[in-house]
Amino acid sequence: TDQQREQGESLETQKSRLLQYAEGRGFNPRIYEDGGFSACDTNRPKFKRLLADIKENKIASVTITKLDRMSRNLRDVVELIYKVFDEHNVALHALDQQLDTSCSNGRFMINMLATVAQWERETTSERVKTDMHYRAGTGKWNGGPTPFGYTSYSAEARKSEEKGLNKEEALKRARLVCPEEKMLYPHPEHSLIVKKMFEKYIETKSQRAITHWLNDSNHKTPRGTTWATSSVSRILRNPVYIGKMVYGKRVSSKASKKIKKRPEEEWIKADGIHSPIIDEATFKKVQAIIKSQTKNPVRHASEYLLSGLLRCGKCGGKMNGFYKERNGHAWSYYRCTNHTHKGNTVCKGNLIDSGKIEKAVIDTLHEVHKGQELVELRKALELFNKKARFDSTPLKTEKDKLEKENRKILQGKDNLIKHLEDDTIASADYKRRCKELDETLQKNTFRIQVIDDQL
C-alpha cells in the first residue's frame, strides 16, 4: 500500500531484509510473495503454496518481518503454529519482534502479539464501518463498482491505465473528468443509454425487450459483456439514478461468510450529493409497472428431463424446456436461453423437439447399461474397493500411532526446555536428548508422508 511505501515496508524492502537474514545464516531461501493480498486471513495463493511445501517436508524454517505478515487473525496464527509448523518440525522467526517458536518464551510472545494484531484489525474494521455509515447517511458514495450510467475518479483512472497510460498520467486525466474522489459523475454516453432504458420500459413494459435492444445495438455492460435481463432489472430498480443513496442492503455472516439481504427498515437511505439521471416521476412510473408484473413464483416439478443439461450447439448456452399451445395444437421443445433472454445478437436460436431428444438420450443410456464392458468394470471396481478398504486399515492404525508419538516428542522437548531454564539438566545432556528426539520426529514424519501417499 501507499502507507507501507511511505513507512519503508514495501514488498521490496521486506524481501531485501529477509534475504539478508537468510544469507547470514547460510539458508537456502525461497520467497513466498502475495502482492496485493491482505493478511486479514490465510486465503492467499502463495501462502497456500508455502503450507503445501511445509506438509511435503520441503521447509526447515519460516522467516517473516512481523507476525502480522503471516496473519492478523489470532485463531489462524495459533492453529498454524501448533497444527502445521509443530507437526512438521518447522521453526518460525520474526525479524522485528525477535520471535522464535523453538522456545517457550517465543511461543508466549507470539500469542501476545497475535492477540494485539487481531485487536488492531477489529478496531480498524469498526472505525471504517462507522465512517462508511456516516458517509452513506450524508449522501456520499462509499466506492465499489461504479453504477452503469455514472463514472468516477477510480473508474476513469483504471480506464486510462488500460489504454496504456502510466499511473501518474492516468490519475491526472481522471482528475480532469472527476475532480473529487469517491463521487459519482454522469457518464456522457452511458447516462443517455440509462435514460433510454427507462423510456423503453414504460413503452414496452418488458425487461426482455430492453435486453434485446441493448445487445442488438452492441451496447456492452460495464464488464464488456452482453446484457442479461437480471442486469436490466437491477438498473430499473436502483434509486441511485434519481439522486438517492442506499447503503447496507446486505450483511455478511462472520461464521458462514455468506451474504444475506437485510430487512429494508435497516437500510441507510439519504439524498445523494451526485446529479440524478432520471426524474422521480419516471422512476415511480417504472416501479409501479415492475410491481404490477411481479408474481410470486410457483415451483413445479419439471417435466423436462434435460433442462439445464442440454447445451446449444450454436452458442454453448443452456437449453431449457418450454410448452406452447395454439389453435388446439401443442408443442413441447427445448430452446436456447441465450436466444430467449439476450436476443439474436448473442444467439440466432436453437429449438429441438423434447420427445425426440429425450428418447435419444434414454436409448443411449439403456445401451450403455446393457453393455458387458460396463458389467465387468463394475465388478472390477467393487473388488478393488474391497481390497483397498482391507489394505488401508493397518496403515491408518500405524499413522495414528506415529502422530501420537510425535505429539509426545514435542511435549518432551518443551519439558526439556523447562528443565534447562530451571538448571535441572546439563546443557550437554539437553543437546544430546534433543538430537535423539529430533531424529525420531524426522523419521516418524517421513513415514507418515509415505503412509499418506499410499492411502
Side-chain angles (χ1 to χ4, degrees):
T1 64
D2 292 334
Q3 184 185 11
Q4 285 175 322
R5 279 196 293 272
E6 287 166 13
Q7 295 173 355
E9 296 175 353
S10 68
L11 287 176
E12 288 306 316
T13 304
Q14 291 178 54
K15 275 199 287 186
S16 175
R17 293 181 61 210
L18 290 166
L19 289 169
Q20 191 176 359
Y21 176 88
E23 189 181 337
R25 279 152 186 77
F27 291 168
N28 178 25
R30 178 185 292 176
I31 292 284
Y32 295 82
E33 177 187 339
D34 278 311
F37 286 85
S38 168
C40 62
D41 58 34
T42 57
N43 188 24
R44 313 192 298 273
K46 291 295 175 66
F47 189 80
K48 286 180 177 178
R49 179 69 257 169
L50 167 66
L51 295 182
D53 286 349
I54 287 173
K55 289 170 184 176
E56 290 173 15
N57 298 314
K58 295 178 180 178
I59 306 293
S61 69
V62 173
T63 308
I64 49 183
T65 53
K66 292 180 182 176
L67 191 62
D68 62 8
R69 296 301 84 213
M70 187 163 71
S71 178
R72 292 196 295 276
N73 184 295
L74 173 62
R75 193 193 311 168
D76 287 344
V77 172
V78 171
E79 285 189 1
L80 284 168
I81 291 170
Y82 291 102
K83 290 188 178 179
V84 180
F85 284 56
D86 277 3
E87 279 190 19
H88 295 275
N89 200 26
V90 173
L92 175 68
H93 309 281
L95 301 185
D96 292 345
Q97 291 148 334
Q98 298 296 304
L99 298 177
D100 186 347
T101 59
S102 61
C103 67
S104 56
N105 284 343
R107 288 167 181 270
F108 172 74
M109 283 300 295
I110 277 175
N111 283 337
M112 290 293 293
L113 287 165
T115 306
V116 171
Q118 185 165 337
W119 170 76
E120 284 180 344
R121 174 183 168 232
E122 289 172 357
T123 304
T124 303
S125 176
E126 286 169 9
R127 285 178 189 149
V128 169
K129 191 186 290 183
T130 303
D131 182 51
M132 291 181 87
H133 277 76
Y134 172 76
R135 285 180 59 84
T138 56
K140 292 178 179 177
W141 181 52
N142 270 320
T146 308
F148 183 78
Y150 286 98
T151 188
S152 63
Y153 176 78
S154 58
E156 289 296 323
R158 187 168 57 251
K159 191 164 66 177
S160 295
E161 279 194 81
E162 286 170 0
K163 287 180 179 178
L165 286 181
N166 62 49
K167 190 164 188 175
E168 192 177 341
E169 280 298 317
L171 294 175
K172 279 183 185 177
R173 182 165 291 188
R175 187 74 69 188
L176 293 172
V177 182
C178 305
E180 192 178 331
E181 292 182 39
K182 287 200 175 178
M183 175 80 175
L184 295 176
Y185 296 89
H187 190 284
E189 296 168 17
H190 295 170
S191 59
L192 297 177
I193 296 171
V194 170
K195 284 182 181 178
K196 194 73 175 172
M197 289 167 73
F198 276 81
E199 289 168 9
K200 275 191 170 291
Y201 187 67
I202 292 171
E203 178 192 331
T204 63
K205 297 180 176 57
S206 169
Q207 294 177 16
R208 189 176 292 174
I210 296 169
T211 309
H212 288 196
W213 166 73
L214 287 165
N215 290 328
D216 291 345
S217 306
N218 202 29
H219 295 310
K220 299 295 182 185
T221 67
R223 293 182 179 179
T225 57
T226 51
W227 287 85
T229 49
S230 56
S231 308
V232 171
S233 178
R234 277 195 295 272
I235 287 175
L236 294 176
R237 295 167 190 267
N238 195 342
V240 74
Y241 298 107
I242 54 169
K244 304 286 184 185
M245 274 296 169
V246 180
Y247 181 73
K249 288 178 164 183
R250 294 172 183 81
V251 62
S252 62
S253 163
K254 284 187 178 178
S256 65
K257 295 188 178 179
K258 288 183 179 178
I259 295 173
K260 62 178 182 179
K261 198 172 182 180
R262 270 199 179 109
E264 192 171 341
E265 59 270 17
E266 293 180 15
W267 298 358
I268 299 171
K269 300 176 182 178
D271 290 328
I273 59 172
H274 63 284
S275 300
I277 293 175
I278 305 298
D279 62 83
E280 288 202 36
T282 301
F283 189 79
K284 283 179 180 176
K285 198 178 285 187
V286 164
Q287 302 319 300
I289 297 169
I290 291 172
K291 190 175 181 181
S292 70
Q293 292 184 333
T294 303
K295 297 173 185 175
N296 290 326
V298 180
R299 297 195 177 275
H300 297 291
S302 173
E303 295 177 2
Y304 295 93
L305 300 178
L306 306 174
S307 275
L309 297 175
L310 289 183
R311 293 283 172 173
C312 172
K314 293 180 180 177
C315 71
K318 288 183 179 180
M319 296 185 74
N320 287 338
F322 82 105
Y323 178 83
K324 193 172 185 179
E325 242 181 276
R326 185 181 290 172
N327 302 327
H329 295 284
W331 294 271
S332 180
Y333 285 95
Y334 286 95
R335 63 182 176 182
C336 172
T337 55
N338 274 344
H339 170 73
T340 308
H341 296 298
K342 297 185 178 183
N344 281 327
T345 311
V346 178
C347 182
K348 295 296 181 186
N350 210 350
L351 288 173
I352 188 162
D353 182 273
S354 62
K356 286 181 181 178
I357 188 66
E358 285 175 3
K359 185 177 184 303
V361 171
I362 291 167
D363 288 348
T364 304
L365 288 173
H366 276 302
E367 287 304 312
V368 170
H369 177 67
K370 287 189 291 186
Q372 189 60 33
E373 297 89 347
L374 189 70
V375 174
E376 289 171 3
L377 183 63
R378 188 182 289 117
K379 285 180 180 175
L381 187 61
E382 285 171 359
L383 285 170
F384 178 82
N385 284 336
K386 189 177 178 181
K387 186 176 185 298
R389 282 193 296 272
F390 176 78
D391 289 347
S392 67
T393 305
L395 288 172
K396 286 177 180 176
T397 305
E398 185 186 356
K399 182 184 174 182
D400 290 342
K401 185 181 175 184
L402 291 169
E403 286 178 339
K404 189 176 180 181
E405 188 179 346
N406 277 359
R407 285 193 290 272
K408 283 184 179 179
I409 290 171
L410 292 170
Q411 186 61 50
K413 286 184 74 176
D414 281 344
N415 291 336
L416 282 173
I417 290 166
K418 287 173 187 173
H419 286 308
L420 188 66
E421 288 170 345
D422 295 339
D423 206 21
T424 55
I425 187 173
S427 178
D429 291 336
Y430 166 79
K431 287 179 181 177
R432 178 183 54 77
R433 184 63 184 137
C434 266
K435 187 180 177 185
E436 290 171 359
L437 290 173
D438 283 341
E439 285 173 356
T440 307
L441 191 69
Q442 190 174 357
K443 181 183 171 185
N444 287 354
T445 304
F446 179 76
R447 177 59 188 156
I448 289 168
Q449 182 65 50
V450 171
I451 291 171
D452 281 339
D453 290 343
Q454 288 177 316
L455 289 172

